[in-house]
Amino acid sequence: MRVVRAAFPQGSLAIRVRDGLGPLFSDDEFADLFPSRGKPAWSPGRSALVPVSQFVEGQARADQDTEPWKERHKTRAGVEGTISQAVQRRGPRRSRYHGLAKTAPQHHLTSAAINLTRIDAQLTRTPRARARTSHFAALRPAELLLGGTK
């Protein structure tokens, strides 16, 4: 505890919580779990974080099945699709110019070009591109793709 107090002389939220609640575990309770030689085992606090992080991850995955999450994700997916289209087709990661004063107009013109491309696709009823097929999936025989049999 002396090391923690030396590192954080003003204290922190974790120190105040520990001081208010007292220690949750004592080292004596877990002394038999630590090896006497070799690499030391995880501390009880670190071991306790594993199930907590698994619980949080499970909650996040469960939230993905709710309608509000799906609505929020639609917006994010659209934004990420736009960014992906810009990066893949227009190359905004590299600029012809140096400095924000000249680079910003290039990015504005790039976004205008993307918008014009999308307007043209909408007016001419050009179908959207299908999702990319991975190299591994492209190796499947044609019969399997069409549902046919040999």
Side-chain angles (χ1 to χ4, degrees):
M1 200 61 194
R2 288 189 317 239
V3 174
V4 173
R5 297 235 185 254
F8 300 97
Q10 279 79 31
S12 71
L13 176 63
I15 294 172
R16 288 191 298 274
V17 168
R18 184 197 180 275
D19 290 345
L21 296 176
L24 298 177
F25 305 105
S26 69
D27 290 342
D28 299 335
E29 297 174 47
F30 297 94
D32 296 337
L33 300 176
F34 287 89
S36 58
R37 304 179 353 181
K39 187 176 179 182
W42 282 6
S43 68
R46 187 171 178 192
S47 298
L49 285 179
V50 173
V52 170
S53 64
Q54 290 172 345
F55 173 76
V56 170
E57 183 179 343
Q59 286 296 111
R61 290 181 191 267
D63 288 345
Q64 291 178 3
D65 291 333
T66 63
E67 287 303 316
W69 187 91
K70 290 178 181 179
E71 286 299 316
R72 286 193 316 267
H73 186 68
K74 282 181 186 178
T75 303
R76 178 181 176 155
V79 169
E80 287 184 4
T82 302
I83 292 171
S84 175
Q85 182 182 8
V87 168
Q88 289 175 0
R89 296 196 180 146
R90 310 285 189 252
R93 289 188 178 158
R94 295 181 185 226
S95 178
R96 294 178 57 157
Y97 310 105
H98 294 287
L100 188 60
K102 292 184 178 178
T103 303
Q106 179 180 346
H107 290 307
H108 291 234
L109 291 172
T110 299
S111 61
I114 291 171
N115 288 339
L116 288 173
T117 303
R118 289 181 170 187
I119 290 170
D120 177 60
Q122 185 75 25
L123 293 175
T124 59
R125 292 195 161 84
T126 305
R128 290 183 170 181
R130 291 187 2 215
R132 184 186 75 83
T133 304
S134 70
H135 295 292
F136 181 72
L139 295 174
R140 289 185 295 198
E143 309 80 59
L144 294 177
L145 292 175
L146 300 175
T149 58
K150 280 190 168 182

